[in-house]
Amino acid sequence: MSEEFKKLVDESFEKSFNPIWIYTDDYLYGLMPADEEGNRWTEVSYTFEMDDPLQIKERNAMLSYQFLFEELEKGVSFYVKDFNVNNLKNFANSIQDKSDPEKIKALINEIKTNPEKYSQNLPMVFNKENLDIIKQKV
């Protein structure tokens, strides 16, 4: 199971735009493009204390954006006490007119390029060079 997860992590940077990987004490969460256009996304979660820890779901961009937003708003904010949900909501409002694939790309890019707007210590990986942070946890 953990080898399958590590393979997904390694493959997550093969598309034309980057995924997002989040790590907590209880689980790992990733959202990566399933196609080159960003119309479909693969959500990967690995929950440490479960009998079947690896869950993989592919969804359309609209649902994927909603799940990513919820993960940030509720999941990350639970673990990261200084996570600024208001800034997240304000950014989401600023991109509401974009297409669903563009919303996901914009949200990932925003957190990647402006992490200090959201927290002093985000438990996230946005580049291939830091994937060992994720893989070492399984």
Side-chain angles (χ1 to χ4, degrees):
M1 193 67 66
S2 64
E3 290 308 311
E4 182 181 359
F5 176 78
K6 289 177 183 179
K7 183 177 184 226
L8 287 167
V9 170
D10 285 335
E11 293 172 352
S12 68
F13 282 85
E14 292 180 357
K15 300 290 187 238
S16 58
F17 39 90
N18 290 345
I20 183 172
W21 287 100
I22 300 168
Y23 54 94
T24 73
D25 292 338
D26 298 318
Y27 66 92
L28 306 170
Y29 173 90
L31 187 65
M32 56 190 181
D35 63 32
E36 289 295 334
E37 296 78 34
N39 294 317
R40 303 219 34 98
W41 290 75
T42 302
E43 180 185 69
V44 179
S45 64
Y46 193 97
T47 308
F48 300 124
E49 300 299 321
M50 291 184 69
D51 292 337
D52 188 14
L54 181 61
Q55 300 294 315
I56 304 166
K57 294 182 173 81
E58 186 175 312
R59 296 186 173 102
N60 66 34
M62 180 189 68
L63 281 175
S64 295
Y65 174 76
Q66 292 170 353
F67 275 90
L68 174 60
F69 189 87
E70 183 175 352
E71 178 60 33
L72 294 167
E73 178 184 38
K74 296 178 180 165
V76 171
S77 68
F78 177 80
Y79 290 93
V80 179
K81 298 306 177 202
D82 73 337
F83 189 76
N84 193 322
V85 174
N86 288 331
N87 283 352
L88 179 71
K89 289 178 179 179
N90 289 338
F91 182 76
N93 287 337
S94 77
I95 61 170
Q96 65 186 0
D97 292 337
K98 291 184 178 285
S99 70
D100 294 322
E102 289 302 316
K103 284 180 187 174
I104 296 173
K105 294 175 200 176
L107 181 55
I108 292 171
N109 189 55
E110 167 67 9
I111 293 172
K112 176 183 177 180
T113 57
N114 298 303
E116 68 284 347
K117 284 176 54 178
Y118 302 96
S119 171
Q120 292 303 308
N121 189 24
L122 288 177
M124 299 179 192
V125 172
F126 298 100
N127 56 53
K128 202 171 191 171
E129 295 74 35
N130 293 331
L131 284 180
D132 280 346
I133 294 170
I134 300 293
K135 294 191 294 187
Q136 289 172 359
K137 296 194 175 286
V138 294

